[in-house]
Amino acid sequence: CCGGGGGSSASSAAHGCGVRLEDRQTESRALEAEGQAEALLAELEDSDDLALPSPDTLKGLSLQAAQLLFGFAKDHPLHRVSAEVSRRRVAALFAQGRLEEAAAAQRAFVGALAAMLPEGLRGVRWLAEVHGRLAYLSELSGERGPATAALELVLDHLQVVFNYRPVVQSLAGMFESEAWWKLLDDVAPELNRLC
């Protein structure tokens, strides 16, 4: 985004986060906001939040800091800050029982990752975990189709990692949840056909 993109002049640069900066003053403000947002993220406690439930690492932000961080993320949806905010919001939304919003935040995180990573990247174990969390949240929010599609991506990644395609039931340990286990059992006939 702002500091990481394209052209040599502000008026011609369409930066990587999808925001076009029309003049130097706008570019300067955007770079300052980017720096502030990045600094706020650097101060936050990091956690292994691919598991759910997990701690809400955004909880300690002041109102002003939260407004700056969330505002920047909203204005720059393909920026790393936006991806990180989405990733971190999932834990809080899940803990509050706001499952549709948690699934939407995870989808935004996955979408931002896809925009930042090389197209077609497969075989990265943490990407399997990211898609696993999307499958779980999609299922909890009543979206079986997206849950199944995300599970298929989990298996695609793990096939490269392990050099064989695991059966879907082998994912049972990702989440301690009856809904997760039921999802795996229900989709096994379809997804295990390629094993």
Side-chain angles (χ1 to χ4, degrees):
C1 178
C2 313
S8 59
S9 76
S11 61
S12 66
H15 297 288
C17 69
V19 175
R20 186 172 188 86
L21 303 174
E22 298 299 330
D23 58 48
R24 294 231 181 257
Q25 187 176 21
T26 303
E27 181 178 31
S28 177
R29 282 194 307 268
L31 287 170
E32 182 179 345
E34 179 183 42
Q36 291 171 340
E38 290 282 4
L40 285 170
L41 282 177
E43 293 173 10
L44 294 175
E45 175 187 339
D46 199 20
S47 70
D48 178 16
D49 59 0
L50 289 176
L52 290 170
S54 63
D56 177 4
T57 59
L58 294 172
K59 193 173 187 175
L61 286 175
S62 70
L63 179 59
Q64 181 180 6
Q67 287 173 334
L68 189 146
L69 192 59
F70 286 93
F72 184 86
K74 181 178 179 242
D75 292 344
H76 305 270
L78 298 180
H79 192 282
R80 186 194 82 77
V81 167
S82 183
E84 186 67 11
V85 167
S86 293
R87 178 182 77 90
R88 290 172 179 268
R89 284 194 68 224
V90 172
L93 294 168
F94 180 82
Q96 295 166 12
R98 296 163 57 186
L99 300 177
E100 291 84 12
E101 291 173 78
Q106 183 67 14
R107 249 187 319 281
F109 173 55
V110 170
L113 277 180
M116 289 186 275
L117 295 172
E119 187 175 338
L121 179 66
R122 291 283 187 269
V124 181
R125 190 177 187 130
W126 64 265
L127 277 176
E129 294 170 354
V130 165
H131 287 285
R133 187 165 86 160
L134 178 58
Y136 179 51
L137 291 167
S138 295
E139 177 66 13
L140 291 178
S141 64
E143 301 172 355
R144 176 60 64 92
T148 304
L151 275 174
E152 196 150 13
L153 289 171
V154 171
L155 296 174
D156 288 350
H157 286 291
L158 293 178
Q159 182 173 358
V160 176
V161 170
F162 299 129
N163 203 27
Y164 68 90
R165 190 174 185 87
V167 295
V168 74
Q169 292 91 337
S170 67
L171 305 176
M174 286 182 89
F175 300 99
E176 294 291 319
S177 164
E178 293 288 333
W180 176 248
W181 300 326
K182 181 175 180 349
L183 167 65
L184 299 180
D185 287 342
D186 288 354
V187 301
E190 177 187 348
L191 296 184
N192 286 343
R193 74 189 184 290
L194 299 174
C195 297

